[in-house]
Amino acid sequence: MPRRYLALWFPYLATDRLRRTGTIPAFGAPAEKPHVLVETQQNALRLVDCDRRAVRLGLTRGLTLADARARIPDLVALEADPQADQRFLEDVAGFCDRFTPLVALDARDGLLLDITGCAHLFGGEEGLVARVGHAMGRIGLGLRTAIAGTPDAARACVRFGRGGIIPPGQEAAALRQLPVAGLDIEAETVVALARAGLKTLADLAERPSETLSARFGEALAVRLRRTLGREDRRITPLRPPPDCVVERHFAEPFADTASLEAVVARLIGEAARVLEARGEGGRVFEIGLFRSDGAVRRLVIETGRPSRDARALIRLYRERIEALADPLDPGFGFDAVKLAVPLCEPLNTQQPSLDGRAVEEEAVANLVDRLVTRFGRDRVLRFAAQDTHHPVRAAKAISAAAPMPEAAWPQPEPEQPPARPLQLFEPPQPVEAIAEVPDGPPIRFRWRRLIHDVARAEGPERIAPEWWRDGSDEPMRDYYRVEDAEGRRFWLFRIGFHEAGSAPPRWFLHGLFA
């Protein structure tokens, strides 16, 4: 299947954004005045964006504000906000996720959509363009569109041509008369090409590629091949494509939350059947709710292990709705609902064990999923083993919804006590200890004003610091597992040795076994 790309260009993105917020009056308002956005460039206020009325009056980007006011005295100038424009463009890109999961930003006022295999869902490419135009019209955005076999061709056609749909393989014939600026190259290169008599893509296409590369660099030849459809480059989408996607589009928006839950339940059931056919389960389920006014609300459900249980996922969806700090507002209604599964893992059907532990594990997993859904993934934690010999770093707390690391918990030898205590003190607590031999295990130690006589001792276990993390000056530790006369077991370590001219060794209690 040949690749197809849809380029969207919003020539009045910044002013349309302000018009949506009411900063600029709506079209047809009494005594409507032209509006421009300005910022300081080259020690002067210059126009960076113009609305439709200002463009019709002959104003362009780069013109100084003083010159613009000399031409149009009643011009309204506002300060530009590129960060707000960028955020708004990203929101529009999220709204376009309803048409294809592959959406990328194109400069400061455009989008590129990979629509390969998606157009037939909207009645073909003509139907898709009409649907996109209608949706952007409801949002209040001026739009130009073009479809071609490469993103560079679609971009050049929409920004420097008439737009429209270029049939597959016809990019070179359709774009030959475009100016060389359509290659999206530097202005200096455009001027140099014009001085050489190369003003259109046809002029460049007639020249050998080696000659262009030698004079203007390989980048020019590459952009020419991509714009004429001879070489494709894939876009980098804002969001990675999910492993599984199911969605519903509606002819008329609806605002009934009960109907919304029914739609979500059907989508979850469809996704479960797709995952079951693959032998997989989802770890993350993202529900995208697309409102007719362009707003998008996304609800994320995470599970502690792969799942395709539709009933359990519906319960988690209800928990997620109840836990929302900002209640779900349908506005003018939802006209599309999309369920994406960004993370899938193998899931095989398991037979319940005879001792019933599988049922208990299932109940615990369901409880963890509900807690994560209600309180957030960063508030429900579990411990995971780390691949390190350092006792303090042997475990860390991770989100209960995150996949478990590959490192496994160390298992004691058969019929042997555990090598590490259940409880660790951080920092280790100093104790006073007496050893029978200078570098041997303690025979008695004082901790919290109580004296413990050691009945049994095992060690030493010498643990060196992680030099790449702690540095080479961190002292080594000699650990001992000891048991006092009353049967209580401790984990002690010594720092230092009995050497002439050095400080006496120090003892610390690091943990309790029971």
Side-chain angles (χ1 to χ4, degrees), residues 10 22 51 59 106 149 226 309 384 394 429 432 436 474 478:
F10 308 98
D51 69 355
L59 301 183
D106 179 25
R226 291 176 176 176
D309 187 346
Q429 299 187 8
E432 299 176 7
E436 187 173 10
E474 186 76 13
D478 284 345

Side-chain angles (χ1 to χ4, degrees), residues 190-228:
V190 174
V191 174
L193 291 172
R195 290 174 178 174
L198 305 175
K199 299 181 180 181
T200 65
L201 301 187
D203 298 334
L204 295 178
E206 294 172 357
R207 300 297 189 275
S209 177
E210 296 78 5
T211 303
L212 294 177
S213 300
R215 175 63 180 84
F216 300 101
E218 180 63 20
L220 176 64
V222 171
R223 290 184 180 275
L224 179 62
R225 291 195 300 268
R226 291 176 176 176
T227 303
L228 296 181

Side-chain angles (χ1 to χ4, degrees), residues 186-362:
E186 297 179 354
E188 294 80 2
T189 305
V190 174
V191 174
L193 291 172
R195 290 174 178 174
L198 305 175
K199 299 181 180 181
T200 65
L201 301 187
D203 298 334
L204 295 178
E206 294 172 357
R207 300 297 189 275
S209 177
E210 296 78 5
T211 303
L212 294 177
S213 300
R215 175 63 180 84
F216 300 101
E218 180 63 20
L220 176 64
V222 171
R223 290 184 180 275
L224 179 62
R225 291 195 300 268
R226 291 176 176 176
T227 303
L228 296 181
R230 299 170 182 170
E231 179 182 314
D232 186 18
R233 68 168 178 92
R234 304 300 173 84
I235 63 175
T236 302
L238 284 175
R239 300 160 54 87
D243 294 337
C244 175
V245 178
V246 290
E247 55 189 312
R248 284 287 185 276
H249 295 262
F250 308 97
E252 294 293 335
F254 67 93
D256 184 16
T257 55
S259 301
L260 177 61
E261 180 175 329
V263 172
V264 172
R266 288 196 294 270
L267 293 180
I268 291 177
E270 291 183 16
R273 289 190 290 272
V274 173
L275 295 175
E276 183 178 7
R278 298 180 183 177
E280 297 179 335
R283 290 292 304 273
V284 179
F285 298 82
E286 183 183 79
I287 303 170
L289 308 175
F290 298 85
R291 294 193 336 192
S292 58
D293 59 353
V296 181
R297 189 70 180 271
R298 300 185 189 275
L299 305 177
V300 178
I301 298 173
E302 297 186 71
T303 59
R305 58 181 180 176
S307 174
R308 55 174 181 258
D309 187 346
R311 294 183 179 179
L313 294 174
I314 283 295
R315 289 196 297 269
L316 294 179
Y317 167 76
R318 293 170 181 162
E319 291 276 356
R320 188 73 181 89
I321 291 294
E322 295 176 359
L324 288 177
D326 183 14
L328 196 63
D329 180 15
F332 294 101
F334 301 106
D335 58 0
V337 181
K338 181 176 183 179
L339 173 63
V341 189
L343 179 59
C344 296
E345 294 180 0
L347 175 62
N348 298 321
T349 304
Q350 298 182 354
Q351 178 179 355
S353 58
L354 297 179
D355 60 0
R357 296 197 58 177
V359 177
E360 297 176 0
E361 294 175 358
E362 183 74 20

Side-chain angles (χ1 to χ4, degrees), residues 64 66 75 91 118 226 306:
T64 63
L75 182 66
D91 292 340
C118 300
R226 291 176 176 176

Side-chain angles (χ1 to χ4, degrees), residues 388-404:
T388 177
H389 68 276
H390 199 288
V392 176
R393 302 189 180 100
K396 73 173 184 178
I398 64 174
S399 172
M404 288 294 291

